[in-house]
PDB file of all heavy atoms in Angstrom:
ATOM      1  N   LYS B 258       0.572 -11.445   3.131  1.00 99.00           N
ATOM      2  CA  LYS B 258       1.692 -12.479   3.078  1.00 99.00           C
ATOM      3  C   LYS B 258       2.901 -11.878   3.673  1.00 99.00           C
ATOM      4  O   LYS B 258       3.394 -10.762   3.338  1.00 99.00           O
ATOM      5  CB  LYS B 258       1.930 -12.838   1.547  1.00 99.00           C
ATOM      6  CG  LYS B 258       3.184 -13.619   1.322  1.00 99.00           C
ATOM      7  CD  LYS B 258       3.400 -14.004  -0.084  1.00 99.00           C
ATOM      8  CE  LYS B 258       4.750 -14.702  -0.356  1.00 99.00           C
ATOM      9  NZ  LYS B 258       5.063 -15.012  -1.782  1.00 99.00           N
ATOM     10  N   VAL B 260       6.182 -13.310   3.997  1.00 99.00           N
ATOM     11  CA  VAL B 260       7.443 -14.029   3.810  1.00 99.00           C
ATOM     12  C   VAL B 260       8.569 -12.987   3.851  1.00 99.00           C
ATOM     13  O   VAL B 260       8.746 -12.185   2.952  1.00 99.00           O
ATOM     14  CB  VAL B 260       7.462 -14.792   2.433  1.00 99.00           C
ATOM     15  CG1 VAL B 260       8.806 -15.401   2.222  1.00 99.00           C
ATOM     16  CG2 VAL B 260       6.444 -15.942   2.533  1.00 99.00           C
ATOM     17  N   PHE B 262      11.708 -13.172   3.886  1.00 98.00           N
ATOM     18  CA  PHE B 262      12.698 -13.327   2.756  1.00 98.00           C
ATOM     19  C   PHE B 262      12.435 -14.629   2.019  1.00 98.00           C
ATOM     20  O   PHE B 262      12.284 -15.647   2.653  1.00 98.00           O
ATOM     21  CB  PHE B 262      14.144 -13.230   3.261  1.00 98.00           C
ATOM     22  CG  PHE B 262      15.044 -13.056   2.074  1.00 98.00           C
ATOM     23  CD1 PHE B 262      15.242 -11.797   1.506  1.00 98.00           C
ATOM     24  CD2 PHE B 262      15.587 -14.119   1.341  1.00 98.00           C
ATOM     25  CE1 PHE B 262      16.077 -11.555   0.327  1.00 98.00           C
ATOM     26  CE2 PHE B 262      16.431 -13.930   0.263  1.00 98.00           C
ATOM     27  CZ  PHE B 262      16.529 -12.673  -0.306  1.00 98.00           C
ATOM     28  N   ASP B 263      12.354 -14.531   0.740  1.00 98.00           N
ATOM     29  CA  ASP B 263      12.115 -15.744  -0.112  1.00 98.00           C
ATOM     30  C   ASP B 263      13.265 -16.085  -0.932  1.00 98.00           C
ATOM     31  O   ASP B 263      13.538 -15.495  -2.025  1.00 98.00           O
ATOM     32  CB  ASP B 263      10.832 -15.408  -0.962  1.00 98.00           C
ATOM     33  CG  ASP B 263      10.329 -16.636  -1.825  1.00 98.00           C
ATOM     34  OD1 ASP B 263      10.869 -17.723  -1.539  1.00 98.00           O
ATOM     35  OD2 ASP B 263       9.526 -16.496  -2.736  1.00 98.00           O
ATOM     36  N   THR B 264      14.043 -17.087  -0.441  1.00 98.00           N
ATOM     37  CA  THR B 264      15.095 -17.615  -1.307  1.00 98.00           C
ATOM     38  C   THR B 264      14.569 -18.676  -2.291  1.00 98.00           C
ATOM     39  O   THR B 264      15.308 -19.031  -3.294  1.00 98.00           O
ATOM     40  CB  THR B 264      16.184 -18.418  -0.411  1.00 98.00           C
ATOM     41  OG1 THR B 264      15.522 -19.625  -0.050  1.00 98.00           O
ATOM     42  CG2 THR B 264      16.638 -17.524   0.703  1.00 98.00           C
ATOM     43  N   GLY B 265      13.272 -18.958  -2.189  1.00 98.00           N
ATOM     44  CA  GLY B 265      12.804 -20.112  -3.077  1.00 98.00           C
ATOM     45  C   GLY B 265      12.851 -21.423  -2.251  1.00 98.00           C
ATOM     46  O   GLY B 265      12.217 -22.480  -2.661  1.00 98.00           O
ATOM     47  N   LYS B 270      15.926 -19.810  -5.908  1.00 97.00           N
ATOM     48  CA  LYS B 270      15.841 -18.719  -6.890  1.00 97.00           C
ATOM     49  C   LYS B 270      17.214 -18.392  -7.396  1.00 97.00           C
ATOM     50  O   LYS B 270      18.108 -18.458  -6.633  1.00 97.00           O
ATOM     51  CB  LYS B 270      15.155 -17.526  -6.326  1.00 97.00           C
ATOM     52  CG  LYS B 270      13.685 -17.518  -6.186  1.00 97.00           C
ATOM     53  CD  LYS B 270      13.243 -16.181  -5.642  1.00 97.00           C
ATOM     54  CE  LYS B 270      11.724 -16.224  -5.209  1.00 97.00           C
ATOM     55  NZ  LYS B 270      10.787 -16.440  -6.360  1.00 97.00           N
ATOM     56  N   MET B 279      13.896 -10.077  -2.920  1.00 98.00           N
ATOM     57  CA  MET B 279      12.876 -10.825  -2.164  1.00 98.00           C
ATOM     58  C   MET B 279      12.675 -10.378  -0.717  1.00 98.00           C
ATOM     59  O   MET B 279      11.861 -11.186  -0.088  1.00 98.00           O
ATOM     60  CB  MET B 279      13.084 -12.335  -2.287  1.00 98.00           C
ATOM     61  CG  MET B 279      12.586 -12.842  -3.619  1.00 98.00           C
ATOM     62  SD  MET B 279      10.873 -12.478  -3.873  1.00 98.00           S
ATOM     63  CE  MET B 279      10.765 -11.870  -5.555  1.00 98.00           C
ATOM     64  N   ASP B 282       8.926  -9.597  -0.009  1.00 98.00           N
ATOM     65  CA  ASP B 282       7.997 -10.681   0.025  1.00 98.00           C
ATOM     66  C   ASP B 282       7.055 -10.577   1.114  1.00 98.00           C
ATOM     67  O   ASP B 282       6.175 -11.413   1.276  1.00 98.00           O
ATOM     68  CB  ASP B 282       8.562 -12.067  -0.198  1.00 98.00           C
ATOM     69  CG  ASP B 282       7.782 -13.009  -1.101  1.00 98.00           C
ATOM     70  OD1 ASP B 282       6.892 -12.474  -1.753  1.00 98.00           O
ATOM     71  OD2 ASP B 282       8.029 -14.222  -0.986  1.00 98.00           O
ATOM     72  N   ASN B 314      11.623 -18.137   3.795  1.00 98.00           N
ATOM     73  CA  ASN B 314      11.585 -19.355   3.054  1.00 98.00           C
ATOM     74  C   ASN B 314      12.992 -19.708   2.655  1.00 98.00           C
ATOM     75  O   ASN B 314      13.590 -19.052   1.801  1.00 98.00           O
ATOM     76  CB  ASN B 314      10.814 -19.196   1.754  1.00 98.00           C
ATOM     77  CG  ASN B 314      10.673 -20.441   0.945  1.00 98.00           C
ATOM     78  OD1 ASN B 314      10.808 -21.611   1.391  1.00 98.00           O
ATOM     79  ND2 ASN B 314      10.342 -20.297  -0.409  1.00 98.00           N
ATOM     80  N   ASP B 341       9.253 -23.043  -3.836  1.00 98.00           N
ATOM     81  CA  ASP B 341       9.196 -21.613  -4.176  1.00 98.00           C
ATOM     82  C   ASP B 341       7.692 -21.081  -4.250  1.00 98.00           C
ATOM     83  O   ASP B 341       7.423 -19.914  -4.236  1.00 98.00           O
ATOM     84  CB  ASP B 341       9.882 -21.280  -5.408  1.00 98.00           C
ATOM     85  CG  ASP B 341      10.269 -19.741  -5.487  1.00 98.00           C
ATOM     86  OD1 ASP B 341      10.099 -19.090  -4.440  1.00 98.00           O
ATOM     87  OD2 ASP B 341      10.789 -19.350  -6.573  1.00 98.00           O
ATOM     88  N   ALA B 342       6.801 -21.980  -4.324  1.00 98.00           N
ATOM     89  CA  ALA B 342       5.317 -21.595  -4.232  1.00 98.00           C
ATOM     90  C   ALA B 342       4.910 -21.697  -2.780  1.00 98.00           C
ATOM     91  O   ALA B 342       4.013 -22.421  -2.377  1.00 98.00           O
ATOM     92  CB  ALA B 342       4.519 -22.496  -5.162  1.00 98.00           C
ATOM     93  N   GLU B 343       5.605 -20.868  -1.938  1.00 98.00           N
ATOM     94  CA  GLU B 343       5.483 -20.992  -0.521  1.00 98.00           C
ATOM     95  C   GLU B 343       4.359 -19.985  -0.048  1.00 98.00           C
ATOM     96  O   GLU B 343       3.718 -20.281   0.998  1.00 98.00           O
ATOM     97  CB  GLU B 343       6.773 -20.568   0.217  1.00 98.00           C
ATOM     98  CG  GLU B 343       7.111 -19.140   0.432  1.00 98.00           C
ATOM     99  CD  GLU B 343       7.281 -18.331  -0.889  1.00 98.00           C
ATOM    100  OE1 GLU B 343       7.485 -18.897  -1.968  1.00 98.00           O
ATOM    101  OE2 GLU B 343       7.103 -17.048  -0.806  1.00 98.00           O
ATOM    102  N   GLY B 344       4.134 -18.944  -0.773  1.00 98.00           N
ATOM    103  CA  GLY B 344       3.150 -17.871  -0.292  1.00 98.00           C
ATOM    104  C   GLY B 344       1.850 -18.536  -0.072  1.00 98.00           C
ATOM    105  O   GLY B 344       1.176 -18.271   0.883  1.00 98.00           O
ATOM    106  N   ARG B 345       1.439 -19.293  -1.117  1.00 99.00           N
ATOM    107  CA  ARG B 345       0.086 -19.896  -0.982  1.00 99.00           C
ATOM    108  C   ARG B 345      -0.079 -20.908   0.131  1.00 99.00           C
ATOM    109  O   ARG B 345      -1.066 -21.127   0.702  1.00 99.00           O
ATOM    110  CB  ARG B 345      -0.223 -20.628  -2.370  1.00 99.00           C
ATOM    111  CG  ARG B 345       0.656 -21.651  -2.723  1.00 99.00           C
ATOM    112  CD  ARG B 345       0.611 -22.038  -4.196  1.00 99.00           C
ATOM    113  NE  ARG B 345       1.235 -21.049  -5.046  1.00 99.00           N
ATOM    114  CZ  ARG B 345       1.268 -21.139  -6.337  1.00 99.00           C
ATOM    115  NH1 ARG B 345       0.639 -22.095  -7.105  1.00 99.00           N
ATOM    116  NH2 ARG B 345       1.880 -20.205  -7.024  1.00 99.00           N
ATOM    117  N   THR B 368       2.470 -10.675  -2.493  1.00 99.00           N
ATOM    118  CA  THR B 368       3.494 -10.685  -3.630  1.00 99.00           C
ATOM    119  C   THR B 368       3.574 -12.234  -4.040  1.00 99.00           C
ATOM    120  O   THR B 368       4.484 -12.844  -3.674  1.00 99.00           O
ATOM    121  CB  THR B 368       4.806 -10.198  -3.182  1.00 99.00           C
ATOM    122  OG1 THR B 368       5.113 -10.783  -1.864  1.00 99.00           O
ATOM    123  CG2 THR B 368       4.813  -8.638  -2.986  1.00 99.00           C
ATOM    124  N   LEU B 369       2.501 -12.678  -4.796  1.00 98.00           N
ATOM    125  CA  LEU B 369       2.389 -14.109  -4.897  1.00 98.00           C
ATOM    126  C   LEU B 369       3.053 -14.683  -6.108  1.00 98.00           C
ATOM    127  O   LEU B 369       3.534 -15.842  -5.965  1.00 98.00           O
ATOM    128  CB  LEU B 369       0.807 -14.463  -4.844  1.00 98.00           C
ATOM    129  CG  LEU B 369       0.598 -15.874  -4.442  1.00 98.00           C
ATOM    130  CD1 LEU B 369       1.069 -16.197  -3.084  1.00 98.00           C
ATOM    131  CD2 LEU B 369      -0.967 -16.216  -4.493  1.00 98.00           C
ATOM    132  N   THR B 370       2.871 -14.037  -7.247  1.00 98.00           N
ATOM    133  CA  THR B 370       3.418 -14.753  -8.488  1.00 98.00           C
ATOM    134  C   THR B 370       4.156 -13.757  -9.430  1.00 98.00           C
ATOM    135  O   THR B 370       3.777 -12.744  -9.723  1.00 98.00           O
ATOM    136  CB  THR B 370       2.275 -15.457  -9.259  1.00 98.00           C
ATOM    137  OG1 THR B 370       1.345 -14.376  -9.792  1.00 98.00           O
ATOM    138  CG2 THR B 370       1.575 -16.465  -8.359  1.00 98.00           C
TER     139      THR B 370
HETATM  140 ZN1  LIG S   3       7.242 -15.598  -2.190  1.00 64.61          ZN
END
Side-chain angles (χ1 to χ4, degrees):
K258 172 176 172 182
V260 172
F262 194 82
D263 184 10
T264 68
K270 284 181 187 296
M279 280 305 131
D282 217 15
N314 182 26
D341 199 9
E343 85 297 340
R345 63 198 75 183
T368 45
L369 202 61
T370 64

